[in-house]
């Protein structure tokens, strides 16, 4: 009985901080950093599996025994936690976490003492801890107690307090015969659909549909998943994206429109091959607030963009540049990539003459492909308008390697924090433009002036232009929306690339 109590008691220490533990199985590639993150998030079972594997590989790492004890304790494995913390204490030194290890040992002792003392003490301890784990541990320790029904009620109450899908699923897991399982099933369904709506992605609705094939909101989730999937395919505009959509939804609500969109995509494929993905930038206005100083008051100015135009969604890449080189139109045949990689990364180390050659080549090819309009660099005003998107003021999150690395395996393996990464690896702005405030800074078509948009168009007398935006090493990136630098036309920089717009 005592042994069983030891195992059960420990399912609730450190869990009170979070009820949203991840039940996912490790892949076998996780690191200690992943395990510590799981511990901090209360994902004790997940952390325990990772650390157990790490301990098998490094049985003489003292700190691993403390982390393993903490994970085992949090996941309800008291006997194993006791063995691990004792093993931690047998090393010659105290380790890097002596105070934490001491507190952990005391917490184990206190929890076990409460459960061993009496039924009343155990229930009071469960109430104090107030987790589903704790109430289930009390039930298993004292199955005939009059307080089991109260523990059941308090477990469901805790699930409702957290009010996320996993909290209801946890109640159902630990109280399979609980009195509130029917309500928990309904609440889990509702919470799962609410979370899918909050994320509002095809993947989130797909997850709901997979987990709740008979869910109350199945039809709504199915319709929303298809609508978002079609919107994404249409925004991409490529034959590949639309064909992929039709392969999944051949008879869906948007199949007819998708086929019409596919026909248009085939017609415009030659143009897309040249310019990549593009987006229409509407006319509009924005407020520019110049930096203030101690002696000069900042006076906002309103700038108008009177005509809509088409913009490249991404910065021009090395792959796009290579096509110009292949045709013999670009004389800078091998701009350096600084060892960061080429292909779908933004082309860098190009000056104004290089860009003029590329633009001339693109426009010639564009006309041959039936394209309308003329491609060129944006003015500084147009660039700032695109960077701000649909917002009159910009709040720019840092476009750092950590974020890019979540979706791009090759983004964070290059030396130097200023390295570029493949275009489009983090979220676009409200116009649908990627990398406006990160990756590479960008040339504009204005002559340099100390005042924003004060230099005017390039002429024969101008030898210095304006570069806007920032690289991945700009800190903090919020300043990138205002950052502007003077660059001589003959300068090639690893920090600077470009994108083009098409005017009617």
């Amino acid at each position: 009985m005592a042994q069983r109590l030891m195992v059960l008691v420990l399912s609730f220490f450190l869990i009170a901080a979070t009820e949203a533990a991840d039940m996912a199985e490790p892949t076998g590639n996780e690191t200690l950093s992943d395990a510590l993150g799981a511990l901090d998030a209360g994902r004790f079972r997940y952390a325990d599996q990772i650390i157990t594997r790490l301990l098998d590989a490094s049985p003489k790492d003292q700190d691993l025994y403390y982390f393993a004890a903490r994970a085992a304790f949090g996941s309800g494995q008291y006997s194993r936690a006791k063995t691990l913390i004792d093993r931690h204490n047998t090393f010659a030194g105290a380790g890097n976490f002596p105070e934490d290890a001491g507190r952990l040992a005391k917490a184990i002792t206190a929890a076990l003492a409460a459960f061993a003392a009496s039924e009343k003490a155990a229930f009071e301890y469960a109430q104090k801890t107030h987790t589903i784990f704790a109430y289930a541990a009390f039930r298993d320790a004292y199955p005939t107690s009059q307080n089991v029904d109260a523990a059941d009620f308090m477990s469901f109450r805790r699930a409702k307090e957290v009010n996320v899908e996993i909290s209801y699923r946890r109640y159902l897991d630990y109280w399979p015969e609980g009195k509130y399982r029917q309500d928990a099933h309904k609440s889990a369904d509702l919470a799962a659909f609410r979370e899918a709506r909050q994320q509002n992605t095809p993947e989130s609705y797909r997850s709901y549909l997979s987990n709740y094939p008979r869910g109350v909101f199945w039809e709504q989730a199915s319709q929303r998943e298809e609508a978002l999937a079609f919107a994404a395919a249409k925004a991409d505009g490529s034959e590949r994206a639309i064909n992929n959509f039709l392969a999944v939804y051949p008879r869906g609500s948007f199949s007819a429109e998708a086929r019409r969109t596919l026909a248009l995509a085939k017609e415009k494929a030659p143009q897309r091959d040249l310019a990549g993905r593009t987006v229409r930038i509407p006319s509009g206005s924005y407020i520019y607030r110049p930096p203030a100083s101690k002696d000069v008051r900042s006076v906002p100015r309103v700038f108008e963009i009177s005509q809509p135009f088409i913009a490249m969604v991404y910065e021009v890449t090395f792959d796009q540049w290579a096509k110009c080189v292949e045709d013999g139109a670009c004389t800078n045949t091998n701009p350096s990539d600084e060892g960061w990689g080429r292909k779908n990364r933004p082309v860098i180390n190009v000056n104004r003459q290089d860009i003029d050659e590329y633009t001339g080549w693109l426009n010639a090819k564009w006309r041959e492909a039936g394209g309308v309009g003329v491609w060129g660099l944006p003015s500084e005003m147009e660039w700032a308008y695109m960077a701000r998107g649909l917002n009159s003021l910009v709040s720019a999150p840092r476009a750092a390697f950590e974020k890019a690395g979540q979706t791009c395996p090759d983004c964070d393996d290059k030396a130097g924090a200023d390295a570029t990464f493949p275009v489009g690896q983090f979220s676009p702005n409200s116009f649908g433009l990627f990398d406006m405030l990160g990756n590479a800074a960008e040339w504009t078509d204005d002559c340099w002036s100390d005042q924003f948009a004060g230099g005017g168009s390039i002429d024969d007398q101008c030898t210095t232009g304006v570069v806007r935006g920032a690289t991945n090493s700009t800190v903090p990136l919020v300043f990138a929306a205002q950052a502007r630098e003077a660059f001589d036309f003959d300068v090639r920089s690893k920090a600077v690339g470009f994108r083009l717009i098409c005017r009617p």
Side-chain angles (χ1 to χ4, degrees):
M1 178 67 174
Q3 178 70 17
R4 184 163 65 93
L5 288 178
M6 289 181 183
V7 174
L8 293 170
V9 167
L10 302 172
S11 60
F12 44 84
F13 178 72
L14 300 174
I15 277 286
T18 175
E19 290 282 356
D22 187 2
M23 302 294 186
E25 293 292 327
T27 64
N29 298 318
E30 292 82 6
T31 64
L32 178 60
S33 178
D34 296 320
L36 297 182
L39 283 174
D40 290 341
R43 300 165 59 189
F44 298 111
R45 291 176 177 175
Y46 182 71
D48 182 50
Q49 291 173 301
I50 297 173
I51 299 172
T52 297
R53 176 175 55 80
L54 296 176
L55 261 179
D56 289 341
S58 303
K60 295 183 179 180
D61 187 328
Q62 181 181 12
D63 291 336
L64 276 181
Y65 285 96
Y66 161 67
F67 297 134
R70 181 180 165 192
F73 181 41
S75 58
Q77 303 175 72
Y78 177 77
S79 297
R80 183 162 172 269
K82 180 81 164 67
T83 300
L84 290 165
I85 202 66
D86 287 346
R87 179 71 179 89
H88 170 274
N89 294 333
T90 62
F91 282 80
N96 291 316
F97 307 94
E99 294 181 2
D100 292 331
R103 283 194 292 267
L104 176 61
K106 289 180 180 178
I108 292 172
T109 301
L112 180 59
F115 264 62
S118 66
E119 175 187 331
K120 178 182 178 182
F123 188 63
E124 288 176 349
Y125 191 91
Q127 287 179 304
K128 179 180 178 181
T129 308
H130 192 43
T131 69
I132 294 172
F133 294 100
Y135 293 118
F138 171 80
R139 174 205 60 206
D140 292 341
Y142 298 96
T144 61
S145 170
Q146 294 181 352
N147 286 321
V148 167
D149 286 346
D152 184 4
F153 170 77
M154 295 301 290
S155 290
F156 183 63
R157 176 179 170 182
R158 177 57 180 164
K160 291 180 66 176
E161 289 170 355
V162 179
N163 197 29
V164 295
E165 178 195 9
I166 192 64
S167 66
Y168 295 111
R169 289 176 57 187
R170 178 167 290 158
Y171 170 82
L172 292 166
D173 186 26
Y174 279 83
W175 292 84
E177 304 299 325
K179 293 183 177 180
Y180 307 95
R181 59 186 181 277
Q182 187 173 357
D183 288 340
H185 277 295
K186 293 179 181 179
S187 297
D189 186 351
L190 173 61
F193 183 65
R194 182 180 65 243
E195 291 163 27
R197 284 196 307 175
Q198 289 171 345
Q199 296 177 46
N200 200 35
T201 64
E203 294 75 20
S204 67
Y205 289 109
R206 205 168 293 134
S207 176
Y208 171 84
L209 293 169
S210 175
N211 293 327
Y212 297 88
R214 298 181 181 179
V216 175
F217 307 98
W218 195 94
E219 185 174 352
Q220 293 180 50
S222 180
Q223 292 172 349
R224 190 60 184 156
E225 179 207 7
E226 182 184 353
L228 288 172
F230 177 64
K234 190 174 182 180
D236 183 281
S238 67
E239 293 180 65
R240 176 191 54 79
I242 299 166
N243 275 321
N244 287 344
F245 172 82
L246 286 170
V248 178
Y249 308 96
R251 296 180 178 84
S253 302
F254 299 91
S255 59
E257 186 177 353
R259 290 185 177 88
R260 291 192 295 270
T261 305
L262 178 61
L264 183 61
K266 290 179 178 178
E267 180 183 331
K268 292 189 174 181
Q271 299 171 25
R272 181 186 176 90
D273 288 343
L274 289 167
R277 282 182 59 185
T278 60
V279 65
R280 182 180 182 273
I281 306 298
S283 58
S285 62
Y286 66 94
I287 300 172
Y288 172 73
R289 291 175 169 80
S293 66
K294 182 171 63 176
D295 302 319
V296 179
R297 179 172 173 266
S298 176
V299 179
R301 297 172 61 190
V302 178
F303 289 87
E304 298 284 342
I305 302 296
S306 59
Q307 294 293 327
F309 55 89
I310 302 299
M312 292 180 172
V313 167
Y314 308 116
E315 294 165 324
V316 174
T317 66
F318 276 100
D319 276 348
Q320 290 174 296
W321 187 268
K323 294 178 182 179
C324 178
V325 173
E326 289 172 5
D327 283 352
C330 286
T331 57
N332 183 359
T333 58
N334 190 33
S336 173
D337 65 359
E338 303 294 331
W340 302 331
R342 304 179 78 83
K343 295 185 178 181
N344 204 32
R345 280 177 164 82
V347 65
I348 51 177
N349 287 307
V350 289
N351 61 26
R352 273 305 304 262
Q353 178 181 339
D354 299 331
I355 295 171
D356 288 344
E357 290 176 349
Y358 181 87
T359 304
W361 167 82
L362 177 62
N363 278 312
K365 290 290 186 180
W366 183 255
R367 289 189 294 271
E368 290 177 11
V372 177
V374 179
W375 289 95
L377 287 170
S379 68
E380 184 178 11
M381 188 192 316
E382 289 167 331
W383 187 95
Y385 180 62
M386 289 193 296
R388 291 169 182 268
L390 296 171
N391 308 306
S392 60
L393 292 175
V394 170
S395 177
R398 174 164 169 73
F401 268 20
E402 301 91 275
K403 187 171 184 180
Q406 293 173 5
T407 56
C408 173
D410 296 327
C411 290
D412 56 354
D413 62 350
K414 306 297 180 183
D418 56 349
T420 60
F421 47 78
V423 297
Q425 295 301 311
F426 54 95
S427 299
N429 70 7
S430 53
F431 277 151
L433 301 171
F434 290 80
D435 304 335
M436 289 299 297
L437 300 178
N439 222 352
E442 300 178 12
W443 283 97
T444 70
D445 201 32
D446 279 16
C447 195
W448 173 258
S449 168
D450 290 339
Q451 300 299 318
F452 168 75
S457 301
I458 303 298
D459 56 30
D460 293 340
Q461 305 300 315
C462 182
T463 59
T464 304
V466 182
V467 166
R468 294 298 306 264
T471 69
N472 294 324
S473 61
T474 302
V475 181
L477 196 66
V478 69
F479 296 132
Q482 300 281 45
R484 53 195 307 271
E485 294 288 339
F487 263 66
D488 289 343
F489 286 164
D490 60 354
V491 170
R492 292 173 175 144
S493 169
K494 69 178 182 179
V496 183
F498 70 103
R499 82 178 68 218
L500 300 176
I501 68 171
C502 185
R503 301 179 181 88

